[in-house]
């Protein structure tokens, strides 16, 4: 790390990439990757392990790549991660925040190394089906085909069980398929891994909504020895203010799903499209989903994009002594935000304003402040006299998800809820 500086892959120019939905990053030279692996110190206490939710063996595969032992590296990578090609593209990389070198704001480029290892493994044909030598005779249903459901299915199939994955959408992948735009995750990446899983014996059933009238929950209980629930937290947080019913106010996932269906040329995709073309777009919510709405709106050709967040603007730089190796609260700029949008903090939406035809025309907003009460809890208050209107013809609500959908499957099973 004293000899080599931190270097990341180059991104396609903004003027080029907002014209299409192809992936953002350019290939990274193998020789430069080895230099990046050389920066890893193989710490006595590798805090990157605890930073990674999967406990990835990061120093181990850094060392293997540095020694040109690529097959060993991909084996180490797969010991803790079924799908490094997914995480290597879309994970926010808390491992890098936890890296010892992040104390000096120059962590090892762990995420890029991870992605490079698995992509080389696919190119070289090292990733092959791992077919169970013996079958147990047990049948397991997995409800939900997102990364959690896919990982469960793969592990159980390799243990010798017969696995069926049920997905209510018309394509496998959960939020990977339609929620995360193609410019962040090309869908060929999902298809490639599905091929391996099918060879391992996993059966995928799409357009199958378990818990609906067409596919009752009891049908699974009768046919399988075990059922795994991997449906995710799909219930979006709503914004029940006056004017919510106006044309032009949508949940972020409806907007993203409709756009992704068109990009992927799915049957009947045009009827689901919510277009941002030529419109003044406001994204409510400052997280990853909001960022995906920004990138998608810019690619549609929006007239303007504004992102509003109710919380305070984070600090430009964290206090390492207080935060490291934990994930810090700091100002981050995503690739989509780089492409063009106005960002506003401490803004609350009080009302959606419409025209005579019921179409959204503006937001009535106000500024807020956050103060601690006597018990040390944060309390929000509106700044007096701070109301203003913001032009908006399309709003996406990207304020997170509150819990799984209860109706149907979970209600039928009597699952306890906290």
């Amino acid at each position: 790390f004293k000899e080599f500086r931190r270097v990341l892959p180059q991104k396609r120019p903004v003027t080029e990439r907002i014209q299409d939905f192809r992936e953002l990053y350019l290939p990274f030279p193998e020789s430069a990757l080895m230099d990046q692996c050389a920066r890893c110190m193989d710490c006595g206490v590798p805090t990157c392990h605890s930073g990674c939710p999967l406990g990835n063996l990061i120093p181990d595969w850094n060392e293997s790549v540095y020694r040109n032992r690529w097959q060993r590296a991909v084996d180490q990578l797969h010991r803790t991660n079924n799908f490094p090609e997914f995480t290597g593209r879309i994970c926010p990389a808390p491992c890098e925040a936890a890296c010892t070198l992040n104390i000096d704001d120059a962590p090892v480029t762990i995420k890029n190394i991870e992605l490079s290892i698995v992509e080389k493994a696919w190119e070289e044909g090292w990733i092959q089906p791992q077919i169970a030598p013996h079958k147990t005779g047990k049948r397991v249903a997995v409800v939900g085909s997102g990364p959690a459901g896919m990982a469960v299915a793969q592990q159980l199939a390799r243990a010798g069980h017969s696995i069926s994955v049920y997905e209510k959408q018309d394509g496998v992948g959960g939020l990977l398929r339609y929620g995360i735009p193609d410019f962040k995750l090309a869908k060929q990446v999902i298809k490639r891994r599905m091929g391996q899983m099918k060879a391992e014996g996993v059966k995928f059933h799409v357009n199958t909504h378990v818990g609906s009238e067409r596919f009752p929950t009891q049908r699974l209980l009768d046919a399988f020895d075990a059922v795994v629930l991997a449906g995710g937290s799909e219930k979006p947080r709503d914004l029940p203010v006056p004017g919510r019913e106006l044309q032009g106010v949508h949940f972020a996932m409806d907007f993203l799903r409709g756009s992704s269906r068109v990009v992927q040329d799915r049957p009947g995709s045009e009827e689901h499209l919510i277009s941002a073309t030529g419109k003044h777009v406001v994204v409510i919510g400052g997280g990853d989903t909001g960022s995906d709405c920004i990138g998608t709106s810019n690619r549609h050709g929006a007239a303007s994009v504004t992102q509003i967040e109710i919380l305070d603007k984070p600090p430009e730089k964290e206090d390492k002594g207080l935060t490291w190796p934990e994930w810090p609260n700091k100002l981050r700029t995503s690739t989509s935000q780089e492409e063009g949008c106005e960002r506003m903090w401490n803004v609350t939406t009080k009302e959606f304003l419409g025209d005579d035809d019921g179409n959204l025309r503006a937001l009535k907003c106000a500024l807020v402040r956050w103060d601690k009460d006597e018990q040390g809890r944060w309390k929000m208050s509106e700044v007096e006299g701070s109301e203003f209107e913001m032009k908006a013809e399309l709003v996406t609500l990207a304020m997170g998800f509150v819990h799984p959908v209860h109706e149907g499957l979970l209600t039928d099973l009597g699952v306890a809820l906290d």
Side-chain angles (χ1 to χ4, degrees):
F1 67 93
K2 292 184 177 181
E3 299 174 43
F4 303 115
R5 64 184 179 87
R6 172 181 163 92
V7 177
L8 289 167
Q10 289 188 317
K11 290 172 284 204
R12 296 164 59 210
V14 169
T15 52
E16 174 190 315
R17 69 186 196 234
I18 62 171
Q19 304 300 321
D20 59 51
F21 277 80
R22 291 187 294 116
E23 287 194 351
L24 301 171
Y25 290 96
L26 299 172
F28 197 72
E30 199 168 290
S31 58
L33 191 78
M34 289 181 171
D35 290 345
Q36 293 305 301
C37 290
R39 299 185 68 246
C40 176
M41 293 188 284
D42 192 14
C43 301
V45 179
T47 42
C48 54
H49 280 199
S50 57
C52 174
L54 295 174
N56 279 344
L57 308 176
I58 295 161
D60 302 58
W61 36 261
N62 280 340
E63 175 74 7
S64 294
V65 172
Y66 174 66
R67 301 288 179 192
N68 204 27
R69 297 171 182 164
W70 287 88
Q71 284 182 272
R72 178 177 170 82
V74 77
D75 288 343
Q76 291 166 325
L77 187 52
H78 278 112
R79 282 177 66 186
T80 55
N81 188 349
N82 287 71
F83 312 122
E85 64 269 39
F86 300 164
T87 53
R89 285 173 166 84
I90 60 176
C91 177
C95 55
E96 295 189 19
C99 176
T100 304
L101 293 179
N102 190 42
I103 294 173
D104 197 33
D105 289 319
V108 174
T109 56
I110 299 167
K111 181 177 173 179
N112 181 44
I113 296 167
E114 173 185 26
L115 180 59
S116 299
I117 292 169
V118 70
E119 288 299 326
K120 183 175 178 68
W122 280 110
E123 289 169 14
E124 298 291 340
W126 297 333
I127 298 176
Q128 295 294 326
Q130 298 179 31
I131 300 170
H134 304 286
K135 291 293 184 180
T136 64
K138 298 290 187 181
R139 303 183 70 224
V140 182
V142 179
V143 183
S145 72
M150 288 180 72
V152 167
Q154 186 168 62
Q155 290 302 109
L156 292 178
R158 291 174 178 178
H161 307 310
S162 296
I163 308 301
S164 293
V165 178
Y166 292 89
E167 169 58 53
K168 66 182 178 183
Q169 299 292 337
D170 62 358
V172 168
L175 288 185
L176 298 177
R177 170 64 62 180
Y178 293 130
I180 294 174
D182 288 54
F183 58 79
K184 287 174 66 175
L185 178 76
K187 305 317 169 194
Q188 175 61 28
V189 174
I190 304 172
K191 185 178 179 182
R192 183 175 62 183
R193 189 61 83 164
M194 280 178 64
Q196 180 198 32
M197 293 176 65
K198 286 179 179 178
E200 292 169 347
V202 177
K203 294 181 174 64
F204 293 98
H205 305 271
V206 296
N207 290 315
T208 308
H209 191 170
V210 180
S212 65
E213 192 174 319
R214 291 182 59 191
F215 199 104
T217 303
Q218 190 62 40
R219 187 168 158 188
L220 280 194
L221 299 177
D222 292 341
F224 292 90
D225 296 291
V227 176
V228 178
L229 304 179
S233 181
E234 282 196 303
K235 187 76 172 177
R237 181 175 283 108
D238 207 345
L239 187 58
V241 298
R244 172 63 179 87
E245 75 288 347
L246 289 168
Q247 295 293 318
V249 184
H250 301 276
F251 286 121
M253 207 49 61
D254 293 337
F255 172 66
L256 294 172
R257 190 180 291 120
S259 178
S260 292
R261 289 183 64 86
V262 171
V263 171
Q264 296 167 42
D265 198 24
R266 306 300 287 189
S269 56
E270 291 295 338
E271 63 190 71
H272 299 279
L273 179 66
I274 300 167
S275 177
T277 306
K279 295 178 181 176
H280 295 279
V281 178
V282 176
V283 177
I284 302 179
D288 286 340
T289 304
S291 184
D292 292 343
C293 290
I294 294 167
T296 300
S297 297
N298 279 324
R299 282 160 178 76
H300 282 193
S304 69
V305 183
T306 304
Q307 184 179 35
I308 61 176
E309 168 62 67
I310 200 167
L311 299 174
D312 293 331
K313 183 178 180 179
E316 296 276 349
K317 180 173 168 51
E318 74 273 36
D319 184 337
K320 302 287 187 184
L322 293 176
T323 62
W324 182 88
E326 303 297 329
W327 182 252
N329 176 37
K330 60 182 288 188
L331 184 64
R332 294 177 174 85
T333 300
S334 71
T335 54
S336 292
Q337 289 162 339
E338 284 176 3
E339 293 162 3
C341 80
E342 182 182 357
R343 302 167 72 183
M344 301 174 68
W345 286 266
N346 298 105
V347 175
T348 185
T349 303
K350 301 186 69 175
E351 187 177 353
F352 297 112
L353 305 175
D355 59 22
D356 294 337
D357 295 324
N359 297 309
L360 178 71
R361 65 169 180 82
L363 272 61
K364 181 188 286 186
C365 301
L367 298 180
V368 298
R369 56 180 292 172
W370 294 87
D371 300 291
K372 284 186 178 181
D373 63 15
E374 294 174 356
Q375 285 75 41
R377 294 173 300 196
W378 288 102
K379 295 287 185 181
M380 184 187 80
S381 59
E382 186 177 320
V383 177
E384 191 175 345
S386 66
E387 283 192 5
F388 64 96
E389 284 191 16
M390 183 187 306
K391 187 172 183 178
E393 294 151 317
L394 172 63
V395 163
T396 61
L397 304 178
M399 303 178 297
F401 303 86
V402 290
H403 53 67
V405 174
H406 296 158
E407 296 77 20
L409 176 65
L410 298 187
T411 304
D412 293 345
L413 292 173
V415 174
L417 305 173
D418 62 19

